[in-house]
């Protein structure tokens, strides 16, 4: 080869290498334009004075403003810098406008949300707010729109991927966010439909066994005992179950409507008598989907009047979980019965009407057009009865399902147009005393939440907050016949009737979604609370030492004992091993301390077996209508194993389900052997229980997850305090993947709020190129946390930039 030819070849090779490198570099530069400005000056119209924002080493903004509206305006800008796409997509889903940007795949969610009309009730609720709260929301929206106006083309990359442009933010949009969160945390309508479908399939008595009362050892929050458990009582509400027959096909299709997740949480507070500081300590960690970015966004707001610190959610200017200089608060989902299904009967020969106690009434109707990207528009006839929206209309191709002249409407406290929950949180943020806190809660509507409280005066407290209906008859656990009015709501439980507890002699209050009240409580709040396993374990840990500090409170949040194992493993240990492998597995379970560590085989054996027991006992043919928490319904299995009558062919007294226990155990070992080999000691819980933190848009871009994906083997399980659950189905290859958990952890020190600790599961930014995209993850996994009430000196020594907003 001549020298000239050689030079040409070298040039071509260099060009082939350079082109992708240059392309990647150009792509990086283009993508990085959307990274936020962290230092310098920014003009922000509407400010009354300069606002100084110092980002700490984790990108958490410390906002120093002369007034709360100025702080809200700055926070709106900062939320948009870091998470605007998250705000926008949540708004779009809540409005039922997803198909506009992703095509027909978004239609099922759009049908549901257009039927619910959360956007309409959110906008209507805005009118009920006090002027100062409206001004606060308006200032926040102004800050969001200021960022939008200046960002130009430097928008998050998701807009390029999906091919649409953002719209301005309205103050009402923050309330729509609240309505969507309330819907996510209020799911008992689905349980009501499941119970009815099960009753039709297997009979009422068997269906009730599949939704048992809480186990006797489950604690009751209003009766805190740190040394023993509290018994849970009645099977039904005062009137027993009443339900109307709906078409099996309609119930099946209702249950197939999109599920938007469910919530769980832990919270507890101890008095000064149990704290080394002689002042209360409060801990809270809400459990929702482990997406990236996570729901939560940390912030500190300081004005001359007050400092508020904690977890906000992009889309709203309120600190939802946190503290000020005087009080601290947290919350868990209470699972109160706030939703009812009503089977309505259309009036024969009178089209467009339905039967009511006062005779036929017209069904309110509205024609809605859903725009679909890449396809034709879809029309939806949204209908509403006196009880609420006709949720059966959300079913695609619903024609013929109501051939018997029935339709199903949904009543829910969250539909209230006088909902002032946002104002309640705003006033909690500003409360300085117990009385001010309680006055704020009187404005609260939905979602029903267990709100725990502590103040620097030494008070600790708990309120089951939110509107809960009073019914004429029945307990709301099954669909009710709508025409007679027999199960209509007559009003709401008065504020004085909300379960409340302050300064109990036990010196502690604990809730982990377990029952709040016992069966003798004068009002009915439902019976679908979670099993008490996490609450039992928290009480045990609090009882283990006379006084606690921030470190021990954080340690409890990280506790990974598989609390359900103590009820289930004894049944497995009744088995007689028939092979060396069975003996090895049973010996491991016998010596196990119930710690759900990622490097141990025992939690994998137990929960895989529990899945198979759910299938065997509850009948796999029941599919989606079987009560389930991802196939891990421990309380149902424990209840049936303790009293097998009607199951496992155990009709006679003394019969048991040990054949089912044995069969599920053998199936478990066979399946895990296929996956992980014959030596049980080599199996690892962490190989299955992997936390998959999904970026719901960008993970669909080829190569993104390989570069930016976040996943890790995870400790804990569905029934440990450090809760990690999934919603896997029996046919999934890896059904025990962890898809939910504590996205935020907070521990509050009422002796010195500057010592309080905070952490989120990922990072402040939603931008994958940002150093704050997942920088808190290492601390989160290790059970560590950060302080937010830093001094000026501390901020000056370790920060990521200072931004000055000027009028």
């Amino acid at each position: 080869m001549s020298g000239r030819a050689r030079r040409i070849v070298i040039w071509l090779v260099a060009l082939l290498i350079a082109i992708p490198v240059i392309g990647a570099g150009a792509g990086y530069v283009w993508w990085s334009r959307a990274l936020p400005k962290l230092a310098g000056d920014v003009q922000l119209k509407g400010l009354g004075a300069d606002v100084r924002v110092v980002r700490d080493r984790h990108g958490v903004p410390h906002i120093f403003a002369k007034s709360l509206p100025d702080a809200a305006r700055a926070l709106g800008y900062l939320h948009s810098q870091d998470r605007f796409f998250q705000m926008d997509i949540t708004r779009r889903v809540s409005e039922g406008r997803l198909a506009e940007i992703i095509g027909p795949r978004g239609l099922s969610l759009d049908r549901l949300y257009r039927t619910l009309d959360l956007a309409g009730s959110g906008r209507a609720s805005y009118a009920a707010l006090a002027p100062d709260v409206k001004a606060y929301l308006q200032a926040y929206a102004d800050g969001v729109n200021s960022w939008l106006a200046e960002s130009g083309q430097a928008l998050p990359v998701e807009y390029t991927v999906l091919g649409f442009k953002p719209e301005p933010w309205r103050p009402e949009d923050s309330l729509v966010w609240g309505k969507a969160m309330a819907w996510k945390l209020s799911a008992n309508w689905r349980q009501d439909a499941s119970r009815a479908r099960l009753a039709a399939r297997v009979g009422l008595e068997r269906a009730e066994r599949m939704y048992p009362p809480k186990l006797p050892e489950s604690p009751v929050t209003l009766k805190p005992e740190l040394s023993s458990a509290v018994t849970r009582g009645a099977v039904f509400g005062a009137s027993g179950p009443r339900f109307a027959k709906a078409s099996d096909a309609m119930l099946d299709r209702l249950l197939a409507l999109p599920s938007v997740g469910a919530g769980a949480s832990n919270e507890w507070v101890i008095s000064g008598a149990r704290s080394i500081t002689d002042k209360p300590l409060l801990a809270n960690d809400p459990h929702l989907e482990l997406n990236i970015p996570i729901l939560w966004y940390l912030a500190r707001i300081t004005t001359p009047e007050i400092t508020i610190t904690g977890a906000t959610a992009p889309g709203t200017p309120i600190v939802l979980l946190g503290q000020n200089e005087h009080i601290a608060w947290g919350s868990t989902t209470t699972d109160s019965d706030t939703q009812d299904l009503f089977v309505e009967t259309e009036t024969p020969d009178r089209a467009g009407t339905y039967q009511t106690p006062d005779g036929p009434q017209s069904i309110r109707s509205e024609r809605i057009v859903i725009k679909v990207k890449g396809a034709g528009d879809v029309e939806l006839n949204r209908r509403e009865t006196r009880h609420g929206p006709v949720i059966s209309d959300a079913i695609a191709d619903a024609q013929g399902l109501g051939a018997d002249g029935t339709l199903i409407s949904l009543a829910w406290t969250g539909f209230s147009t006088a909902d002032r929950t946002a104002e309640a949180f705003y006033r909690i943020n500003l409360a300085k005393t117990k009385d001010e806190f309680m006055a704020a809660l009187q404005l609260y509507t939905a979602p029903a939440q267990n709100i725990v409280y502590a103040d620097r005066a030494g008070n600790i407290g708990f309120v089951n907050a939110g509107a809960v209906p009073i019914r004429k008859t029945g307990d709301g656990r099954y669909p009710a016949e709508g025409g007679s009015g027999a199960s209509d709501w007559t009003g709401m439980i008065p504020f004085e009737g909300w379960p409340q507890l302050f300064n109990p002699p036990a010196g502690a209050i604990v809730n982990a979604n377990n029952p709040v009240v016992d069966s003798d409580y004068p009002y009915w709040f439902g019976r679908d609370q979670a099993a008490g396993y996490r609450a039992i374990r928290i009480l045990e840990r609090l009882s283990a030492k006379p006084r606690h500090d921030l470190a021990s409170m954080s340690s409890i949040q990280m506790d990974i004992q598989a609390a359900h194992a103590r009820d289930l493993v004894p049944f497995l240990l009744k088995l007689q091993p028939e092979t060396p492998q069975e003996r090895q597995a049973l010996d491991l379970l016998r010596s196990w301390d119930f710690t759900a560590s990622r490097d141990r085989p025992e939690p994998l054996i137990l929960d895989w077996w529990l899945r198979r027991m759910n299938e065997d006992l509850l009948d796999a043919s029941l599919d989606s209508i079987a009560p389930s928490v991802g196939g891990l319904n421990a309380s149902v299995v424990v209840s049936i194993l303790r009293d097998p009558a009607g199951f496992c062919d155990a009709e006679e007294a003394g019969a048991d389900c040990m054949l089912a226990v044995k069969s599920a155990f053998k199936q478990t070992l066979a399946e895990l052997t296929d996956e992980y080999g014959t030596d049980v000691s080599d199996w690892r819980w962490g190989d299955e229980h992997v936390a998959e933190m999904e970026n719901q848009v960008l993970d669909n871009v080829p190569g993104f997850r390989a570069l930016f994906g976040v996943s890790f083997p995870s400790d804990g399980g569905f029934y440990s305090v450090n809760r990690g659950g999934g919603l896997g189905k029996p046919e999934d290859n890896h059904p025990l993947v962890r898809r939910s958990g504590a996205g935020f952890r907070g521990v509050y020190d009422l002796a010195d709020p500057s010592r309080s600790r905070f952490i989120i599961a990922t990072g402040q930014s939603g931008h994958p190129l940002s150093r704050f995209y997942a920088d808190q993850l290492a601390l989160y996994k290790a059970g560590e946390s950060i302080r937010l009430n830093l001094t000026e000196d501390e901020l000056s020594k370790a920060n990521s930039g200072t931004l000055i907003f000027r009028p």
Side-chain angles (χ1 to χ4, degrees):
M1 181 183 294
S2 68
R4 183 172 182 274
R6 186 179 299 110
R7 287 194 298 272
I8 291 173
V9 169
I10 292 171
W11 181 82
L12 288 172
V13 170
L15 185 63
L16 289 174
I17 295 172
I19 287 174
V21 171
I22 292 170
Y28 177 88
V29 170
W30 171 80
W31 193 5
S32 64
R33 289 190 312 138
L35 288 169
K37 179 179 181 179
L38 303 180
D41 287 8
V42 172
Q43 185 176 11
L44 194 54
K45 293 181 180 179
L47 287 177
D50 287 356
V51 175
R52 180 169 59 99
V53 176
V54 184
R55 298 257 194 172
D56 68 17
R57 67 178 65 191
H58 294 285
V60 177
H62 297 245
I63 303 169
F64 299 92
K66 298 296 184 183
S67 69
L68 280 170
D70 279 0
R73 192 169 272 103
L75 182 61
Y77 188 100
L78 296 165
H79 275 170
S80 302
Q81 276 190 315
D82 289 323
R83 304 276 195 93
F84 183 75
F85 179 78
Q86 181 185 34
M87 297 163 56
D88 195 17
I89 198 68
T90 301
R91 171 178 61 174
R92 185 171 283 274
V93 169
S94 305
E95 291 176 335
R97 298 176 56 206
L98 187 60
E100 288 182 21
I101 61 172
I102 70 169
R105 289 176 300 151
L107 269 174
S108 58
L109 270 174
D110 283 358
R111 286 181 180 276
L112 176 60
Y113 279 105
R114 292 292 185 96
T115 298
L116 298 173
D117 193 25
L118 301 183
S121 60
R123 286 190 290 269
S125 295
Y126 181 75
L129 299 177
D132 60 332
V133 184
K134 288 181 180 178
Y136 195 67
L137 294 175
Q138 182 65 62
Y140 177 80
D142 290 346
V144 174
N145 293 326
S146 292
W147 177 84
L148 272 177
E150 82 169 34
S151 63
Q153 298 303 310
L155 292 169
V157 70
E158 289 91 339
Y159 288 101
T160 301
V161 172
L162 295 174
F164 76 104
K165 294 182 179 180
E167 298 171 358
W169 194 264
R170 300 156 296 190
E172 299 94 323
D173 292 338
S174 295
L175 300 187
V176 175
W177 181 94
K179 292 286 186 180
M181 181 55 63
W183 174 255
K184 178 191 286 284
L185 299 177
S186 307
N188 63 270
W189 75 268
R190 191 178 292 274
Q191 292 166 313
D192 298 348
S194 294
R195 266 188 289 263
R197 190 66 185 92
L198 279 167
R201 183 85 66 90
V202 303
L204 177 61
E205 183 176 355
R206 189 178 177 92
E208 283 296 315
R209 292 290 309 281
M210 295 181 184
Y211 284 89
K214 294 299 168 280
L215 300 173
E217 59 268 33
S218 183
V220 173
T221 298
L222 257 60
K223 298 181 178 179
E225 297 182 15
L226 268 64
S227 58
S228 62
V230 181
T231 302
R232 176 70 175 143
V235 174
F236 302 124
S239 303
R242 300 172 58 94
F243 63 99
K245 183 70 170 69
S247 115
D248 291 347
M250 186 178 288
L251 288 173
D252 284 344
R253 297 289 291 278
L254 274 181
L255 289 167
L257 287 173
S259 173
V260 292
S265 306
N266 302 316
E267 65 181 11
W268 63 95
V269 60
I270 60 174
S271 70
R274 291 187 171 273
S275 164
I276 64 168
T277 68
D278 295 323
K279 292 288 186 180
L281 296 172
L282 187 152
N284 183 212
D285 51 296
H287 309 152
L288 295 165
E289 294 92 340
L290 287 177
N291 294 328
I292 184 167
I294 205 70
L295 171 68
W296 306 105
Y297 183 96
L298 300 177
R300 170 191 176 191
I301 296 170
T302 296
T303 72
E305 294 80 23
I306 200 161
T307 293
I308 312 165
T309 310
T312 69
T316 176
I318 308 297
V319 174
L320 298 170
L321 307 168
Q323 66 177 21
N324 59 38
E325 303 105 313
H326 310 280
I327 74 168
W329 64 94
S331 67
T332 65
T333 294
T334 187
D335 294 314
S336 292
D337 196 333
T338 61
Q339 297 174 326
D340 281 353
L341 295 173
F342 286 91
V343 181
E344 315 281 11
T345 303
E346 296 183 272
T347 309
D349 304 322
R350 292 189 60 177
T353 68
Y354 69 109
Q355 297 176 12
T356 78
D358 299 320
Q361 288 187 11
S362 296
I363 303 174
R364 295 185 293 277
S365 180
E366 176 187 9
R367 177 181 169 274
I368 293 172
V369 176
I370 302 175
K371 295 186 178 299
V372 184
K373 183 179 181 179
D377 294 348
V378 173
E379 289 191 6
L380 172 68
N381 184 30
R382 182 186 185 276
R383 297 185 292 171
E384 190 170 333
T385 73
R386 65 196 183 92
H387 293 118
V390 177
I391 194 171
S392 51
D393 285 347
I395 301 169
D397 303 318
Q399 292 82 1
L401 291 182
D404 57 353
T406 62
L407 46 89
I408 300 179
S409 59
L410 172 68
W412 177 40
T413 57
F415 290 137
S416 170
T417 57
D419 183 354
R420 297 169 67 187
T421 301
E423 183 173 346
F425 272 115
Y426 174 79
R427 305 217 180 280
I428 287 173
N429 278 209
L430 304 181
K432 298 179 180 179
T433 66
K434 173 191 167 187
D435 289 345
E436 291 178 0
F437 168 77
M438 294 296 283
L441 279 186
Q442 293 192 52
L443 305 173
Y444 193 98
T445 298
Q449 291 281 285
N450 300 313
I451 299 184
V452 69
Y453 167 88
D455 64 34
R456 299 197 69 185
N459 295 302
I460 64 172
F462 169 95
V463 180
N464 183 318
V468 178
I470 299 173
R471 302 166 177 86
K472 284 184 180 178
T473 58
D475 56 19
R477 296 174 60 248
Y478 289 84
E481 196 275 316
S484 68
S487 298
D488 281 0
W489 295 0
T490 60
M492 298 293 152
I493 295 173
F495 178 77
E496 295 75 17
W498 292 2
Q500 304 172 24
L501 180 66
F502 282 87
N503 301 322
I509 304 172
V510 173
N511 184 269
N513 313 114
N514 52 293
V516 171
V517 296
D518 221 331
S519 57
D520 57 357
Y521 197 78
Y523 293 104
W524 173 252
F525 283 84
R527 204 197 68 186
D528 290 326
Q529 289 75 26
Y533 292 116
R534 283 179 286 122
I536 290 170
R537 182 59 177 163
I538 294 167
L539 287 166
E540 288 177 349
R541 289 291 304 272
L542 289 175
S543 299
K545 55 190 300 184
R547 286 179 178 260
H548 289 267
D549 55 15
L550 289 171
S552 63
M553 297 282 276
S554 296
S555 172
I556 297 173
Q557 288 181 324
M558 296 299 293
D559 189 277
I560 59 172
Q561 185 180 96
H564 62 316
R566 62 183 82 185
D567 283 341
L568 291 168
V569 168
F571 290 101
L572 280 165
L573 296 182
K574 292 181 181 180
L575 296 174
Q576 294 300 315
E578 297 177 353
T579 68
Q581 188 190 49
E582 289 182 10
R583 182 177 302 280
Q584 182 187 24
L586 291 172
D587 285 346
L588 285 167
L589 290 170
R590 185 172 289 106
S591 59
W592 183 31
D593 64 358
F594 302 149
T595 298
S597 174
R598 61 184 180 273
D599 59 1
R600 296 299 306 169
E602 298 91 347
L604 176 58
I605 297 169
L606 176 66
D607 277 2
W608 201 279
W609 170 81
L610 179 57
R611 289 177 58 247
R612 293 308 178 199
M613 284 298 292
N614 269 266
E615 291 178 40
D616 290 349
L617 295 181
L618 304 182
D619 186 350
S621 67
L622 295 176
D623 300 322
S624 64
I625 65 173
S628 172
V629 286
L632 294 175
N633 200 325
S635 59
V636 173
V637 172
V638 170
S639 177
I640 292 172
L641 290 178
R642 289 176 177 177
D643 179 12
F647 291 84
C648 312
D649 298 321
E651 303 294 344
E652 300 179 4
D656 60 31
C657 286
M658 289 309 297
L659 286 177
V661 172
K662 180 179 180 179
S663 173
F665 180 62
K666 287 182 174 294
Q667 187 178 6
T668 294
L669 296 187
E671 291 169 347
L672 292 177
T673 296
D674 288 343
E675 188 73 24
Y676 298 113
T678 58
D679 189 343
V680 178
S681 64
D682 288 339
W683 299 352
R684 296 291 178 264
W685 174 230
D687 289 341
E688 283 290 331
H689 196 238
V690 177
E692 296 280 1
M693 293 185 155
E694 180 185 9
N695 186 308
Q696 294 181 307
V697 173
L698 296 181
D699 274 2
N700 296 298
V701 176
F704 176 85
R705 189 156 186 84
L707 292 172
F708 300 102
V710 176
S711 64
F712 55 92
S714 182
D715 293 321
F718 206 91
Y719 297 103
S720 53
V721 179
N722 184 4
R723 180 179 178 269
L727 299 174
K729 299 180 184 303
E731 66 270 17
D732 289 348
N733 289 329
H734 297 284
L736 300 177
V737 165
R738 180 182 184 181
R739 294 189 174 92
S740 64
F744 163 76
R745 299 188 190 110
V747 182
Y748 308 99
D749 185 343
L750 277 298
D752 182 356
S754 71
R755 294 197 298 246
S756 296
R757 310 294 299 188
F758 309 83
I759 198 72
I760 57 176
T762 55
Q764 293 288 100
S765 178
H767 198 304
L769 294 182
S770 170
R771 67 183 186 271
F772 306 127
Y773 183 62
D775 67 308
Q776 295 184 50
L777 179 61
L779 295 173
Y780 170 85
K781 291 194 295 182
E784 299 177 13
S785 52
I786 63 177
R787 291 172 50 239
L788 294 184
N789 288 60
L790 303 176
T791 65
E792 289 281 2
D793 184 57
E794 288 172 319
L795 280 174
S796 68
K797 291 177 179 177
N799 68 75
S800 303
T802 299
L803 200 62
I804 305 295
F805 291 106
R806 302 194 186 279

